[in-house]
Amino acid sequence: MDRVSSFDEPLKKLLGGATAKVMAEHLDLHTVGDLLHHYPRRYEERGKLTALADLPLDEHVTVVAQVADARILMFNNGRGKRLEVTLTDGSGRLQLVFFGHGVHKPHKELLPGRQAMFAGKVSVFNRKMQLAHPTYQLLDASDADEATEAVDAFAGRLLPIYPACKQLDSWRIAKAVDAVLPSARDAVDPLPASLREGRGFTPLPEALLKVHRPQTKADIEDAKARLKWDEAFVLQVALARRRYADTQLPAVARRPVADGLLDAFDAKLPFTLTEGQQKVSKEIFDDLATEHPMHRLLQGEVGSGKTMVALRAMLTVVDAGGQAAMLAPTEVLAQQHHRSITEMMGELAEGGMLGGSDHGTKVVLLTGSMGMAARRQALLDLVTGEAGIVIGTHALIEDKVQFHDLGLVVVDEQHRFGVEQRDALRSKGKQPPHLLVMTATPIPRTVAMTVFGDLETSVLDQLPAGRSPIASHVVPAKDKPHFLARAWERVREEVENGHQAYVVCPRIGDDAEEAEGKKGKAKKKAAEEDPEKRPPLAVLEIADELRKGALAGLTVEVLHGRMHPDEKDDVMRRFAAGDVDVLVATTVIEVGVNVPNATAMVIMDADRFGVSQLHQLRGRVGRGSAPGLCLLVSEAHEASPARARLSAVAATLDGFELSRIDLEQRREGDVLGQAQSGVRSSLRMLTVIDDEEVIAAAREEAVAIVAADPELEHLPELRTVLAALLDKDREEYLDKG
């Protein structure tokens, strides 16, 4: 059999149809290779052989003993069955117990006088030592030596425990692995020999044998180190090749022009850029000046001035004769960006208009809910090139939208944006436009290298001068109701000092939910009995309560996703102008909303939000010269993980530290998300959080290898393994990344 095909062999051939069907349907395992990469989750030590007289409580033990007697007892009026077996080994006695359907086989096999090996966890029942449902192996070998050998093998082995399912338990998977293990010899080793030897790795066939059937704990460590490396390395090679392919695409170089729009803009800035902004701007300008498309991820803390950096990049492209498009995830955010960019640019955003600057260009907004006339005009300005900058939602991606010469796409808050959408916008340029992806969710370095591995990364980690510190506190509403009363007093104090406040709720809420009749009443009753079951607090209800109670006399308005866009825009404008004291909102305010006079934020049911979301929300206050205050209201129990999460958020303003905490709690499943399912399903041993050094080292090796041999002509094994990893779905995912 040739080396590749034994791994491609369908499991049906080796294991029989029924087992193969369960593996395919419930564990997504189809071939010999799939099963060999289905690694044990952990290993049980069966324990050394123990005399019955010396059994330790609550430990896994293995004993060799003789069956003294076995009897079936009925209980629960004859509906339940229990098999009790008494063992003896000359030193003492021990009881085994089997229940339910589990009694048939042992009842037939464990007959008085038979000798067997038993493994299980020791517990006490009715003051007697017992093993419940132990695994066992009969020792009826006629040859005494054979029996001794069986005892040693059984007792000393590290037992692999596999990720299993209801239809197929771990020991049956272990048996199936035994059947395919000889094929491990045919494993195609993706690591170039020089790399493998240089780092002292175990050969791949040996690593597979050691991970499935370790003799010692050192075997497990060896195997894991090797298999983690393979995963990190193959993935990083795929990403390095994608980056290399991008450098081969043509793009129009967009170089800064002296005395153009950018210089005019910089000249009227009332402040100097931070060192970080200057450094990141230089990285972006260098990329824009090359003749292949920039693919850069700009991550920066909330309020670190990413929009300013992106705007300067857009102005450079306009100076160089191109157009720039900025894509926002929501209409509120698109309007907000449009407003703040036109304000920052002043007369420079009024190109071609009376009173506009000679250098100026038109900045247009394009969203789904615009009136027909405004929309028609915006589309016309784009196709003629009159508008140098367009800001919009995914309405920008529609077929009708044509550009004169699209040179740069800026995507805000990438994690809300599908890769297909990014792709569709990129196809609107005559040649691929440059791409800048921005996120205010700090991403730990390892995740950036894995999830956004096809993008070069820039980080803005300084806050601009003039940003104030934010004090955060957890308000335990259930244990200490007077803390909540004090929270509303603090909001009142902020308003009396001329400032404004946000109150954030997880849900909009409305009468329709109440009108569900019986269902609504049942929910209400369940919620009264168990507060955990109550629905999250709602904007409309909380706003109503505050107007009548704690914040009576203040102007309290609401903002949520079901409002008409004009209504939303009107509320935001009045809040920004200072006409609204308190804005009760859903997370529509999470990104991009900039009201420097808002200093306080109260987040209701804060434990219902994720760590990074709380951090994003908190970033809406403290944007001016007055210090910010963020109060996290929760009914969660003091010892609960939810409260621990809130305390972590209250304890630090460092988004990178928080994103690490967030990741540790959620693990990669959520982090890599659906779009990254290709990556996720190829990571079996590697964890994006804990294996930073492995990922960084693998990336370095991958970059060097791809630079020397982009087509991997001299590394056929690596090419074979890559082809297997990048099946159609994953190839598409990487293409769109």
Side-chain angles (χ1 to χ4, degrees):
M1 190 182 293
D2 78 35
R3 298 170 67 198
V4 185
S5 63
S6 73
F7 263 50
D8 293 337
E9 189 82 45
L11 287 171
K12 205 161 51 190
K13 274 194 177 173
L14 284 150
L15 306 178
T19 306
K21 189 168 186 257
V22 172
M23 286 195 166
E25 284 175 11
H26 297 279
L27 297 168
D28 196 21
L29 304 174
H30 307 273
T31 64
V32 167
D34 290 344
L35 183 52
L36 284 172
H37 289 301
H38 186 70
Y39 305 130
R41 176 178 289 149
R42 60 192 166 83
Y43 301 85
E44 287 288 357
E45 290 184 75
R46 292 235 205 196
K48 296 291 170 240
L49 291 178
T50 317
L52 295 188
D54 311 326
L55 290 179
L57 198 58
D58 276 346
E59 278 188 29
H60 272 279
V61 297
T62 305
V63 296
V64 171
Q66 196 166 27
V67 178
D69 69 70
R71 59 195 175 279
I72 286 203
L73 302 171
M74 298 298 200
F75 59 94
N76 205 355
N77 289 332
R79 285 201 296 275
K81 256 188 205 173
R82 178 167 85 239
L83 170 66
E84 286 185 1
V85 179
T86 308
L87 302 181
T88 172
D89 71 346
S91 76
R93 291 167 88 78
L94 172 69
Q95 188 165 308
L96 311 180
V97 59
F98 299 87
F99 291 102
H101 298 306
V103 306
H104 305 307
K105 191 168 177 257
H107 188 222
K108 274 198 252 163
E109 294 183 337
L110 298 178
L111 304 170
R114 293 196 88 165
Q115 207 185 18
M117 222 167 358
F118 302 89
K121 196 173 182 182
V122 183
S123 57
V124 167
F125 181 69
N126 276 346
R127 292 200 289 261
K128 280 189 197 159
M129 292 276 201
Q130 74 166 26
L131 299 182
H133 280 285
T135 50
Y136 62 89
Q137 188 169 331
L138 298 170
L139 295 175
D140 288 343
S142 48
D143 180 351
D145 288 346
E146 203 178 301
T148 313
E149 231 170 78
V151 169
D152 290 347
F154 186 89
R157 275 242 313 268
L158 285 157
L159 273 189
I161 306 296
Y162 287 92
C165 59
K166 205 166 87 187
Q167 297 76 2
L168 201 63
D169 43 30
S170 172
W171 67 267
R172 283 173 62 201
I173 295 171
K175 226 170 158 175
V177 169
D178 282 335
V180 301
L181 213 45
S183 301
R185 290 193 303 269
D186 303 327
V188 176
D189 198 327
L191 295 192
S194 56
L195 192 160
R196 189 175 63 240
E197 285 148 24
R199 290 186 176 265
F201 284 130
T202 304
L204 183 56
E206 198 182 311
L208 288 169
L209 286 171
K210 281 179 168 178
V211 81
H212 288 292
R213 298 294 172 263
Q215 298 300 311
T216 63
K217 288 186 175 169
D219 282 354
I220 299 172
E221 291 316 307
D222 261 11
K224 280 187 167 176
R226 168 65 217 254
L227 296 167
K228 274 182 183 183
W229 239 91
D230 282 17
E231 286 178 8
F233 176 70
V234 172
L235 181 60
Q236 290 303 333
V237 169
L239 292 164
R241 290 187 73 196
R242 181 69 54 225
R243 289 193 301 274
Y244 178 83
D246 285 340
T247 65
Q248 305 307 299
L249 288 172
V252 180
R254 311 282 179 174
R255 296 184 182 88
V257 173
D259 299 328
L261 193 51
L262 179 66
D263 285 352
F265 175 75
D266 282 351
K268 64 195 275 304
L269 275 183
F271 50 80
T272 52
L273 298 176
T274 65
E275 227 173 283
Q277 284 175 316
Q278 288 171 7
K279 179 177 134 291
V280 169
S281 288
K282 183 182 182 317
E283 289 170 353
I284 293 171
F285 289 162
D286 288 349
D287 281 357
L288 289 173
T290 59
E291 294 188 347
H292 57 81
M294 161 170 83
H295 287 110
R296 191 166 281 280
L297 171 69
L298 170 56
Q299 45 171 331
E301 277 289 10
V302 175
S304 56
K306 291 183 302 297
T307 313
M308 172 62 70
V309 168
L311 176 55
R312 294 182 73 247
M314 295 187 342
L315 297 176
T316 302
V317 169
V318 175
D319 274 343
Q323 290 168 295
M326 186 179 212
L327 213 50
T330 64
E331 294 209 352
V332 167
L333 193 50
Q335 288 162 343
Q336 176 84 31
H337 276 317
H338 182 249
R339 197 156 47 239
S340 62
I341 283 174
T342 46
E343 277 166 16
M344 282 197 264
M345 286 174 64
E347 75 279 5
L348 297 174
E350 295 165 1
M353 291 157 76
L354 206 59
S357 155
D358 299 342
H359 290 301
T361 187
K362 238 185 191 182
V363 178
V364 299
L365 176 68
L366 189 63
T367 62
S369 65
M370 282 168 73
M372 271 317 290
R375 190 178 165 79
R376 204 172 289 128
Q377 185 58 52
L379 290 171
L380 189 65
D381 288 341
L382 285 180
V383 75
T384 59
E386 184 86 5
I389 295 177
V390 57
I391 293 146
T393 53
H394 46 259
L396 277 178
I397 298 168
E398 289 172 14
D399 293 343
K400 291 191 206 81
V401 182
Q402 299 297 321
F403 289 85
H404 176 64
D405 178 13
L406 181 60
L408 169 67
V409 174
V410 178
V411 179
D412 191 23
E413 289 308 323
Q414 154 66 20
H415 63 287
R416 296 161 167 241
F417 227 88
V419 277
E420 290 84 358
Q421 293 164 307
R422 224 163 77 179
D423 211 35
L425 193 53
R426 260 158 59 171
S427 66
K428 293 200 174 282
K430 295 189 174 102
Q431 286 190 334
H434 298 282
L435 175 71
L436 179 65
V437 171
M438 300 198 297
T439 177
T441 308
I443 303 163
R445 183 165 158 255
T446 44
V447 179
M449 286 191 294
T450 311
V451 182
F452 298 102
D454 60 326
L455 302 173
E456 300 298 336
T457 306
S458 296
V459 178
L460 273 178
D461 46 14
Q462 288 169 288
L463 290 186
R467 290 300 299 261
S468 302
I470 305 168
S472 307
H473 303 285
V474 178
V475 177
K478 199 172 181 183
D479 313 342
K480 301 179 179 166
H482 58 286
F483 275 42
L484 183 58
R486 176 71 188 116
W488 299 127
E489 278 171 29
R490 284 291 290 111
V491 168
R492 212 174 247 291
E493 286 162 18
E494 289 297 312
V495 172
E496 279 161 10
N497 290 333
H499 298 301
Q500 294 155 278
Y502 297 100
V503 176
V504 180
C505 302
R507 194 170 66 98
I508 299 172
D510 64 2
D511 299 328
E513 289 167 24
E514 297 301 313
E516 279 195 316
K518 274 187 194 166
K519 221 190 262 177
K521 280 180 190 147
K523 273 189 191 163
K524 211 169 186 178
K525 187 166 183 284
E528 279 162 14
E529 287 164 16
D530 180 0
E532 292 293 300
K533 289 197 177 127
R534 72 164 172 77
L537 295 171
V539 167
L540 301 177
E541 288 145 32
I542 293 290
D544 210 36
E545 279 173 33
L546 291 175
R547 286 189 190 109
K548 291 176 184 158
L551 302 182
L554 304 185
T555 321
V556 177
E557 293 275 9
V558 300
L559 181 72
H560 57 75
R562 284 211 299 262
M563 289 163 65
H564 186 277
D566 290 350
E567 218 182 332
K568 278 194 266 196
D569 206 37
D570 176 55
V571 170
M572 257 340 284
R573 265 179 211 283
R574 287 188 295 118
F575 188 63
D579 301 337
V580 173
D581 299 323
V582 178
L583 187 62
V584 183
T586 54
T587 53
V588 290
I589 60 151
E590 179 185 347
V591 281
V593 172
N594 184 22
V595 179
N597 190 45
T599 53
M601 175 174 285
V602 180
I603 302 178
M604 307 303 290
D605 274 344
D607 45 277
R608 310 239 183 170
F609 296 97
V611 171
S612 49
Q613 206 172 22
L614 290 169
H615 182 59
Q616 290 278 339
L617 286 165
R618 169 171 64 184
R620 303 298 113 219
V621 296
R623 298 176 79 89
S625 50
L629 172 69
C630 178
L631 301 173
L632 306 167
V633 179
S634 167
E635 288 189 8
H637 191 278
E638 195 168 355
S640 66
R643 274 286 284 281
R645 230 176 37 229
L646 295 183
S647 302
V649 174
T652 178
L653 292 171
D654 179 345
F656 284 93
E657 174 56 28
L658 286 174
S659 68
R660 202 168 178 89
I661 293 168
D662 196 18
L663 260 182
E664 276 163 10
Q665 289 175 338
R666 297 188 301 154
R667 309 306 289 179
E668 16 287 331
D670 304 348
V671 179
L672 299 180
Q674 238 4 74
Q676 275 72 16
S677 58
V679 174
R680 186 171 74 228
S681 51
S682 65
L683 299 188
R684 300 216 165 79
M685 191 62 86
L686 191 74
T687 56
V688 171
I689 306 149
D690 306 323
D691 295 318
E692 180 162 342
E693 282 158 26
V694 176
I695 294 171
R699 181 179 171 113
E700 217 169 283
E701 295 277 11
V703 168
I705 280 169
V706 171
D709 182 4
E711 293 306 314
L712 307 178
E713 281 168 21
H714 305 293
L715 298 167
E717 291 85 1
L718 178 54
R719 244 196 359 254
T720 302
V721 174
L722 261 184
L725 169 80
L726 298 179
D727 56 30
K728 196 163 160 296
D729 297 348
R730 295 173 201 159
E731 185 71 282
E732 270 175 21
Y733 145 66
L734 283 170
D735 265 338
K736 287 172 180 161

